Amino acid sequence: MIEAFKITGLDLSYGEKHVLKNINIDLYKNKVTAFIGPSGCGKSTLLRCLNRMNDLIDDCHITGSIKYYDNELSEMNPMQLRTNVGMVFQNPNPFPMSIFDNVAYGLRCQGIKNKKVLSEIVIDSLKIAACYDEVKDRLKDSAVSLSGGQQQRLCIARAIAMHPDVILMDEPTSALDPIATLKIEELIDSLKNEFTIIIVTHNMQQAARISDYTAFFMMGEIIEYNETEELFKNPKVKKTEDYITGRFG
């Protein structure tokens, strides 16, 4: 399997607070990898390392290596990296503009002005995000008029429009109802043929349903990492077993 990211000896601190401790993990291309673990265990922090969003935090100090394919992440242009590695956040965050302009926003920032090209990419992205049929007659309407689930799929379409290689998702369904959650999960399953997806989820059942690999975090460390089915059926570490059986967490 091809490694999209290879993380070696990664430590991260915010000031005096040691958040990630000696993280070693390979994340594979065209697979869905889930990060699970109790709140505050470092899973979202590691996710944000993968597109260097932690660079924006003044007192953040990182040592170790993250390679994106064969490129050292710290040496890459952050804007180019974030084009290749898109992100979808916990709460849907559509821009206060039309549905069409939301998806076209990043493309226009990159200098694409041709209306035909923009329209084709926007429509294709909405289709891939399983959103087009619901919004095709409303593309000029404000994106904030959509339901929460539709807004989240719009945000996924906005990420897809940039033709990323990787999509990071930070608890993308935690603010959604069960029906909207199911649609996002079905979408994630359909996207992995084209994208590498890394998802932080507080929902272990969700990790079991949608991911190929799962990493269990606790207090800034990866306790266990394995194929999802194996990790849930035959955990090799007692802490993992205790967490997934609900003995703590």
Side-chain angles (χ1 to χ4, degrees), residues 8-207:
T8 309
L10 184 77
D11 277 74
L12 181 146
S13 300
Y14 296 130
E16 298 296 313
K17 187 177 181 184
H18 198 175
V19 180
L20 294 175
K21 304 164 187 173
N22 193 31
I23 301 296
N24 297 280
I25 189 172
D26 296 337
L27 303 169
Y28 299 110
K29 181 177 174 64
N30 294 117
K31 300 294 182 185
V32 178
T33 302
F35 294 169
I36 65 170
S39 295
C41 65
K43 51 192 189 292
S44 291
T45 299
L46 182 60
L47 192 78
R48 290 195 297 270
C49 287
L50 301 178
N51 67 350
R52 289 181 52 185
M53 283 193 68
N54 290 312
D55 289 13
L56 307 173
I57 300 171
D58 288 339
D59 63 348
C60 181
H61 180 66
I62 301 173
T63 58
S65 169
I66 304 177
K67 286 192 172 178
Y68 173 56
Y69 298 104
D70 290 325
N71 303 297
E72 192 66 46
L73 218 66
S74 60
E75 297 171 4
M76 291 183 67
N77 178 301
M79 297 307 293
Q80 181 59 48
L81 174 65
R82 290 173 195 144
T83 299
N84 293 339
V85 183
M87 187 151 188
V88 176
F89 295 92
Q90 181 171 355
N91 292 305
N93 61 338
F95 301 142
M97 54 182 69
S98 74
I99 293 166
F100 184 96
D101 289 342
N102 261 270
V103 184
Y105 182 83
L107 302 167
R108 288 179 171 138
C109 288
Q110 289 194 326
I112 298 174
K113 301 285 191 261
N114 185 297
K115 290 182 179 179
K116 185 171 183 288
V117 172
L118 284 172
S119 183
E120 285 175 356
I121 297 174
V122 167
I123 289 170
D124 284 348
S125 301
L126 287 167
K127 284 180 177 177
I128 293 168
C131 205
Y132 181 68
D133 287 344
E134 296 171 38
V135 303
K136 62 185 178 184
D137 300 322
R138 309 168 53 190
L139 295 179
K140 293 183 180 179
D141 291 0
S142 171
V144 297
S145 68
L146 298 173
S147 70
Q150 289 172 327
Q151 287 184 17
Q152 194 64 299
R153 279 181 283 140
L154 176 68
C155 292
I156 293 170
R158 191 171 66 198
I160 288 169
M162 302 300 290
H163 296 294
D165 172 62
V166 179
I167 301 176
L168 309 177
M169 298 185 172
D170 193 356
E171 299 199 20
T173 63
S174 65
L176 305 180
D177 63 63
I179 293 172
T181 294
L182 179 61
K183 286 187 176 182
I184 298 287
E185 289 183 3
E186 289 172 345
L187 173 58
I188 290 169
D189 190 57
S190 70
L191 291 176
K192 71 178 180 184
N193 294 323
E194 195 169 344
F195 306 97
T196 300
I197 297 174
I198 302 156
I199 178 170
V200 168
T201 177
H202 66 289
N203 185 327
M204 283 183 289
Q205 290 76 23
Q206 181 173 77

